[in-house]
Amino acid sequence: MVHFLIKVPSDGEASTTHEVLVFRLESFNDNSRYLLYDSGDETEMRFILVCEDEISEKTQEKLKSIFRKDVEAEEISIESIDQKTLSKILVARKLMVDDVNCCGKKKYLFTTKNSSQLLETAGAAVSAKEFTKFLVEYTDYIDRTADIAVNSMHNVVIINDHDVNLEPYIELLYGIMAAKGLLIEHIMIHGNMSDLRHTNRETQCVYVIEDEWELDDNDDYFPLSAHEQLLNAIFGEESFSAASLRTDLLTKIKDSNNIYIAPMKQDEYYKMVKHDLFSVAFPLVVTIGELNVFDKIRSICSIAGEYGFTVDEEGFADNRLISATSMDDIEIAVRKVVQQKLIAKEKSFIFTMSDLTIKEVNAQKTSAFDELESLIGLNGVKKTIKEIVALLEKRGKNAVPCLHMAFLGNPGTGKTTVARIIAKLFAEVGLTKKDLLVETQRGGLVGKYLGHTAQKTALVIKSALGGVLFIDEAYSLIERHDDAYGKEAIATLVKIMEDKRDEFVCILAGYTEDMNAMLDVNPGLRDRIQFHINFPDYNISELMQIFEKFCKENAYKLSRPARAALEDGITRIVGAKSHNFSNGRLVRKIFERVRIKQAFRATDDTITKSDVQEAFAETDIANLFGNERMAIGFRLSA
């Protein structure tokens, strides 16, 4: 085996993009040679090359084609090798023989800036001063612990309670680690708890744990592999308790050669830091605070700068939009405005506050109660939800055993819309921790084999903790009386609905008859559901209001004769409706057909009687009239 230090000179200009370079490197590496990034600066990039034999002429040409320039190959002398270079050679050898198991998303990052340059970048680009200060202290900490070969000393918790985009912060932190020589393989892996547990890659890289850490001792639904489930079945539930899983994960992190970054909420951190092993595995913590006005202005400058715009900052600091709106919404507004300016071919590349007010976003949020009230019809549903909230606000969350619900009714009656409002409403009044709605159906819960279904169902439920889980067409979980997969999903659901009844709300939705049949199959599921809410079909007046709402949202005018024709058609459809009448969905379908007819006929925005009649005359809609048919201008009896 022969080892080389490959030096790629820099001419001050990027010869290729980062992604293309990574792709070329991956195509170069095989089981006879491996090129591992070592370090870089303004003058050159350096790689460790491990080969079975001396560098051939063909390999030299291949290296030249990767970097688009001549490279220098310097053989590494065994006599003069140091510990750091030896570690890199050993990792390159390992990766050459076998690209070791890695669960999660890999991202290669070759840092060529030194720590001082990165700190200067952080001071200019990153909004949170606390983080910039932490980077300075972290850099000093690395220098002070340089002689201690315990990588877990560099693991970091990032507390983010304000939903700030952490990617720029994490990449700067990664850059400091790379610049200070902490990394051997220059990749960053993003994965969840399951990915982490099944990753065996130990190449001194960075692993970002993108998952919640709420592993209480009662969390026996924590996802297990098929092998673990088999052992659990043999040796009993205690063999894989949540406490043992937590200990195993933290031990793995503590003893790993890799460096771990764990974004989490403050309450998660307070819960986990009580465990001594967690404090050992993650000795460092930094909090990303809420961005102030000046932080947001700096971010606006950075975003606009991506498009080549400069920002006239006068007027931004005193604007209500900047202080009251989240950075995510501001970013969307800024990007939309600069794109509109580019499309309009404006010659001025200056971004002002007056530009941003054109697309003011989120200036005044609508409360969940207002959203509920604004829904057409559903008076009984609204009344029931208000009564539930009033009771819980008066008596507290413990006034009822649980908040799980069943929404019963035909399609298009607003079940999904109401579920979304409930998620927001319960968060606003403090019944749930966050405004979160996880929507799923049978396919999201049922796996490919027995055992996998329980794990898949548990993962979906875990993602909804703190909020609302909405299972649409829930009756489809039991497709047949012998549907073992569906029964496994329901059994898992029933257990967690009971064990975690205080931590999330589950809403099952579907046709009334089918839902009742499913609940009869598993009485335990029926017992877990506290509220059964019926969603009645919309009446004619409500269906008309829905159509008119579509017209208003899409800037159409409905002429008086057209409205009369529409009401006539909807009346006869309602009179002949089947047991699974599609309500609002049907109205949307009719609206889409009408707007097509209108667009073909005219260039204005008025819907006429003939547009409506032509839409009703199409076969699939005309069949909904039962024994009657509608023709343009007159009626036909069957």
Side-chain angles (χ1 to χ4, degrees):
M1 199 75 70
V2 190
H3 317 109
F4 297 90
L5 178 63
I6 304 297
K7 298 180 180 180
V8 184
S10 172
D11 52 11
E13 295 182 4
S15 59
T16 185
T17 66
H18 189 96
E19 291 78 12
V20 170
L21 179 58
V22 169
F23 181 79
R24 290 175 184 166
L25 288 175
E26 289 181 334
S27 66
F28 173 84
N29 293 332
D30 57 29
N31 57 10
S32 65
R33 63 194 184 194
Y34 200 92
L35 197 60
L36 179 73
Y37 180 74
D38 174 37
S39 58
D41 53 33
E42 295 176 349
T43 60
E44 67 181 12
M45 297 176 71
R46 294 169 286 278
F47 295 80
I48 299 291
L49 174 62
V50 177
C51 300
E52 289 186 342
D53 300 303
E54 294 289 337
I55 297 178
S56 65
E57 185 176 334
K58 183 178 180 181
T59 300
Q60 286 179 333
E61 289 300 316
K62 185 70 173 176
L63 287 171
K64 185 176 180 180
S65 70
I66 290 174
F67 300 107
R68 296 295 190 261
K69 60 185 69 175
D70 292 325
V71 302
E72 178 185 345
E74 176 185 311
E75 186 171 353
I76 298 172
S77 168
I78 295 178
E79 290 78 11
S80 61
I81 198 169
D82 58 23
Q83 182 60 47
K84 182 171 286 188
T85 304
L86 175 61
S87 299
K88 293 176 181 178
I89 289 173
L90 293 176
V91 167
R93 282 186 176 185
K94 182 188 297 185
L95 294 170
M96 180 178 73
V97 175
D98 178 26
D99 190 0
V100 291
N101 177 45
C102 170
C103 297
K105 184 179 179 182
K106 292 191 298 184
K107 183 178 182 179
Y108 290 84
L109 292 170
F110 301 154
T111 301
T112 57
K113 292 182 178 180
N114 60 37
S115 57
S116 297
Q117 291 170 323
L118 288 165
L119 290 174
E120 185 178 346
T121 300
V126 174
S127 300
K129 292 181 180 178
E130 297 92 337
F131 187 79
T132 306
K133 181 181 178 182
F134 172 80
L135 283 183
V136 174
E137 294 173 349
Y138 187 68
T139 304
D140 178 64
Y141 174 80
I142 294 172
D143 291 337
R144 288 188 286 106
T145 58
D147 296 331
I148 303 175
V150 180
N151 282 354
S152 64
M153 293 180 63
H154 302 108
N155 294 342
V156 179
V157 170
I158 302 179
I159 296 176
N160 179 21
D161 275 335
H162 300 285
D163 295 324
V164 176
N165 176 20
L166 291 182
E167 198 61 26
Y169 300 87
I170 291 174
E171 289 193 4
L172 277 168
L173 189 55
Y174 172 97
I176 293 293
M177 295 175 185
K180 302 303 290 186
L182 293 182
L183 308 183
I184 291 180
E185 189 184 14
H186 289 244
I187 68 167
M188 182 160 55
I189 307 169
H190 289 256
N192 58 26
M193 294 294 184
S194 181
D195 293 329
L196 173 60
R197 287 172 48 238
H198 295 101
T199 291
N200 299 320
R201 199 181 196 94
E202 287 290 324
T203 55
Q204 208 158 318
C205 58
V206 172
Y207 201 108
V208 181
I209 307 170
E210 294 184 331
D211 208 345
E212 294 184 354
W213 283 80
E214 296 180 0
L215 303 181
D216 294 330
D217 290 343
N218 294 324
D219 286 346
D220 53 358
Y221 65 90
F222 190 77
L224 304 178
S225 67
H227 174 67
E228 289 168 334
Q229 290 181 40
L230 178 60
L231 292 178
N232 207 15
I234 296 172
F235 296 108
E237 293 186 358
E238 291 301 317
S239 60
F240 284 102
S241 67
S244 66
L245 286 170
R246 178 180 58 230
T247 300
D248 290 346
L249 275 177
L250 292 173
T251 301
K252 178 177 182 176
I253 292 169
K254 176 181 69 69
D255 297 337
S256 175
N257 290 322
N258 302 324
I259 301 175
Y260 293 86
I261 300 174
M264 59 176 59
K265 301 291 187 182
Q266 186 78 61
D267 57 347
E268 286 181 271
Y269 178 72
Y270 284 153
K271 187 179 295 185
M272 291 304 301
V273 80
K274 294 177 182 177
H275 304 280
D276 292 339
L277 190 53
F278 180 85
S279 299
V280 173
F282 288 96
L284 305 172
V285 59
V286 57
T287 300
I288 305 297
E290 186 174 9
L291 304 184
N292 60 35
V293 171
F294 297 103
D295 291 334
K296 292 178 180 179
I297 293 173
R298 291 170 68 190
S299 296
I300 290 172
C301 294
S302 176
I303 297 164
E306 294 176 19
Y307 297 85
F309 281 77
T310 57
V311 177
D312 181 1
E313 299 182 26
E314 186 177 352
F316 276 76
D318 298 327
N319 190 274
R320 173 177 51 82
L321 177 67
I322 300 300
S323 59
T325 307
S326 72
M327 194 59 230
D328 284 345
D329 287 339
I330 291 175
E331 178 177 353
I332 291 171
V334 172
R335 293 190 187 279
K336 283 185 177 181
V337 171
V338 294
Q339 288 170 354
Q340 288 167 358
K341 281 177 169 285
L342 292 171
I343 292 170
K345 299 180 181 179
E346 289 193 15
K347 295 181 180 179
S348 173
F349 275 66
I350 299 177
F351 186 90
T352 67
M353 188 65 237
S354 61
D355 293 318
L356 191 61
T357 55
I358 296 173
K359 288 290 182 180
E360 185 169 337
V361 292
N362 202 30
Q364 185 175 0
K365 291 186 177 180
T366 305
S367 72
F369 272 113
D370 290 339
E371 289 184 29
L372 185 65
E373 277 300 321
S374 69
L375 296 179
I376 294 169
L378 303 177
N379 293 330
V381 174
K382 296 174 185 176
K383 183 174 181 292
T384 301
I385 293 172
K386 289 177 183 176
E387 289 173 347
I388 294 171
V389 172
L391 171 65
L392 296 173
E393 284 186 317
K394 184 176 180 180
R395 297 288 186 178
K397 288 180 64 174
N398 296 325
V400 292
C402 65
L403 292 173
H404 303 314
M405 304 177 180
F407 286 1
L408 312 175
N410 280 333
T413 49
K415 296 187 293 294
T416 303
T417 300
V418 171
R420 291 169 181 165
I421 292 174
I422 281 181
K424 181 178 179 181
L425 177 59
F426 282 7
E428 285 182 0
V429 299
L431 296 176
T432 54
K433 290 182 179 179
K434 48 192 171 183
D435 178 4
L436 169 67
L437 180 75
V438 176
E439 300 181 38
T440 190
Q441 293 181 320
R442 175 186 167 92
L445 303 175
V446 173
K448 297 178 180 179
Y449 49 83
L450 289 177
H452 181 222
T453 291
Q455 177 182 351
K456 192 173 182 180
T457 301
L459 279 172
V460 172
I461 299 172
K462 186 174 187 292
S463 70
L465 290 182
V468 175
L469 174 65
F470 179 70
I471 306 176
D472 199 11
E473 298 179 356
Y475 54 84
S476 65
L477 287 173
I478 300 294
E479 293 184 335
R480 310 175 306 276
H481 72 279
D482 59 346
D483 185 355
Y485 297 97
K487 290 180 179 178
E488 182 181 10
I490 289 179
T492 306
L493 180 64
V494 168
K495 181 168 182 9
I496 302 176
M497 284 173 72
E498 175 61 25
D499 293 346
K500 296 292 177 182
R501 61 183 179 273
D502 296 330
E503 298 185 33
F504 81 112
V505 176
C506 180
I507 300 176
L508 308 174
Y511 301 128
T512 303
E513 292 181 7
D514 294 331
M515 286 292 294
N516 283 325
M518 182 199 73
L519 295 174
D520 288 339
V521 170
N522 192 312
L525 181 58
R526 185 183 289 277
D527 292 341
R528 300 300 188 280
I529 297 172
Q530 183 69 22
F531 304 101
H532 291 72
I533 302 178
N534 293 306
F535 284 69
D537 287 345
Y538 289 109
N539 60 35
I540 296 167
S541 174
E542 291 165 348
L543 294 171
M544 288 294 297
Q545 290 178 56
I546 293 172
F547 189 96
E548 290 169 342
K549 183 172 181 286
F550 290 149
C551 288
K552 183 177 180 181
E553 290 173 349
N554 293 274
Y556 283 99
K557 297 176 182 177
L558 186 64
S559 70
R560 190 169 297 178
R563 191 186 191 287
L566 178 70
E567 187 169 8
D568 183 37
I570 288 179
T571 299
R572 285 187 287 133
I573 290 175
V574 170
K577 70 180 181 181
S578 61
H579 70 282
N580 59 350
F581 179 59
S582 60
N583 291 280
R585 294 182 191 175
L586 174 61
V587 176
R588 178 177 288 281
K589 179 179 179 180
I590 294 171
F591 173 74
E592 295 299 334
R593 297 292 178 84
V594 168
R595 72 189 300 189
I596 290 171
K597 303 298 180 185
Q598 195 275 345
F600 183 76
R601 176 190 57 78
T603 58
D604 62 11
D605 55 4
T606 301
I607 294 174
T608 66
K609 179 179 180 180
S610 64
D611 298 329
V612 173
Q613 289 177 325
E614 286 183 27
F616 277 134
E618 293 193 353
T619 304
D620 59 332
I621 296 180
N623 287 338
L624 300 174
F625 294 121
N627 293 328
E628 290 191 85
R629 297 289 184 269
M630 175 177 272
I632 299 176
F634 57 91
R635 297 187 184 185
L636 293 175
S637 296

